[in-house]
Amino acid sequence: PRTAETRSGPRVLAVANQKGGVAKTTTVASLGVAMAQRGAHVLLVDLDPQASLTFSLGVDPEELDLSVRDVLVGSKSVQDVILVTDEAVHLLPATIELAQTEETLASMTGREQRLRVALEQVADDYDWILLDCPPSLGVLTAAALTAATDLLIPLQCETLAHRGVGQLLDTVHDVRAFTNPDLSVIGVLPTAYDGRTRHARAVLEAITESYGLEVVEPPIPRTVRFAEAPAYGRSILQTAATHRGAIAYRDVADRLLAST
Ligand code: ADP
Ligand code: MG
């Protein structure tokens, strides 16, 4: 584990799970805004061609000329593409063009390293960089895990929700072997969690036991507030700051800020 003394550069947190709809994007936006509200300098990176993170921060992807794609294929420096959002976080946005980037990158040298190298240009500007991964285990997720210091796995505790976790951990194993030996897995974050159901608790226990993963506390409760927030282009941390969902994300953010 890194200490404050030995650490150089920002913590880079990849939020990944190849399953869609597990609250990756919600987690990146909410933790990022919560960290910024505590005074941290935060950059969020949208690596999903659906550009939900970009959209949820009030930026219309269709209006953008530049995106993270231009950084990954090497034509733009990261400073030229970063936007300042209303939520006090900076954003390296995505556009739909990112959909072709996996294919473009496939034939490019250093594809897994390109995000890591690009982010080094802004290493002095940020305390935390949060990476919103696409719902796949392709090149973009490999690039995110290569650039990351830490991995957080959001998980909805329903039946079979954990089938993909083994596959994700196989990818982590390969990333550690070939591109990023220091990648640290923080653990799973239960999202849309209903702790009143025995089922959700049982699924969570099964996952942590089978894979030896930590559970990050507190779990994020299931609430419709999260579905409503992106419609305003503002996060729940702003629109419903005292809601229990916002409080849970703030608590998780505080734990991450305090961790080394
Ligand atoms: P992913 O990025 O993994 O695909 P999203 O963050 O886009 O997932 O979330 C998927 C859907 O679930 C969205 O409609 C979002 O508003 C909703 N959602 C996220 N977190 C919660 C929660 N804690 N309770 C209820 N719904 C949630
Ligand atoms: Mg998403």
Side-chain angles (χ1 to χ4, degrees), residues 11-258:
R11 291 282 287 280
V12 182
L13 177 68
V15 177
N17 183 333
Q18 72 274 30
K19 196 165 154 36
V22 298
K24 290 181 290 295
T25 300
T26 304
T27 296
V28 166
S30 303
L31 290 179
V33 171
M35 287 171 168
Q37 287 178 343
R38 295 293 196 228
H41 294 106
V42 180
L43 172 67
L44 307 185
V45 181
D46 192 349
L47 290 168
D48 188 343
Q50 289 178 43
S52 326
L53 176 66
T54 300
F55 186 75
S56 76
L57 289 164
V59 176
D60 182 353
E62 291 191 19
E63 307 265 288
L64 295 174
D65 293 325
L66 296 175
S67 77
V68 65
R69 179 186 190 284
D70 299 284
V71 172
L72 291 171
V73 301
S75 59
K76 285 286 166 193
S77 76
V78 73
Q79 291 95 332
D80 292 340
V81 183
I82 287 174
L83 304 172
V84 179
T85 74
D86 295 342
E87 305 255 12
V89 293
H90 290 190
L91 172 69
L92 186 52
T95 63
I96 190 75
E97 274 84 40
L98 193 57
Q100 286 105 53
T101 303
E102 296 252 356
E103 213 179 304
T104 311
L105 283 174
S107 61
M108 291 183 90
T109 304
R111 54 186 176 267
E112 284 102 351
Q113 304 287 351
R114 284 172 172 256
L115 183 63
R116 180 183 66 74
V117 170
L119 292 176
E120 275 172 8
Q121 297 166 17
V122 291
D124 292 339
D125 301 342
Y126 299 105
D127 304 307
W128 284 81
I129 299 177
L130 274 52
L131 311 176
D132 186 23
C133 292
S136 66
L137 291 175
V139 179
L140 291 170
T141 296
L145 294 176
T146 299
T149 56
D150 300 87
L151 167 64
L152 181 66
I153 307 169
L155 203 81
Q156 291 199 358
C157 300
E158 50 200 41
T159 329
L160 306 181
H162 62 292
R163 272 215 179 147
V165 173
Q167 246 183 323
L168 176 57
L169 293 178
D170 288 346
T171 302
V172 168
H173 183 268
D174 286 349
V175 164
R176 280 182 176 147
F178 295 108
T179 62
N180 186 8
D182 298 328
L183 177 63
S184 156
V185 180
I186 294 177
V188 300
L189 176 68
T191 56
Y193 189 69
D194 186 351
R196 293 167 306 181
T197 69
R198 181 198 295 262
H199 179 67
R201 291 196 305 270
V203 170
L204 192 55
E205 250 170 57
I207 293 162
T208 50
E209 271 173 31
S210 328
Y211 300 106
L213 290 168
E214 297 283 323
V215 177
V216 177
E217 304 267 3
I220 309 302
R222 178 181 292 277
T223 154
V224 294
R225 281 294 182 140
F226 287 106
E228 293 165 354
Y232 308 107
R234 307 303 300 271
S235 90
I236 184 179
L237 276 292
Q238 302 271 13
T239 59
T242 58
H243 188 275
R244 63 201 173 91
I247 291 168
Y249 270 119
R250 210 176 286 124
D251 287 351
V252 172
D254 286 342
R255 278 173 192 237
L256 292 172
L257 289 171

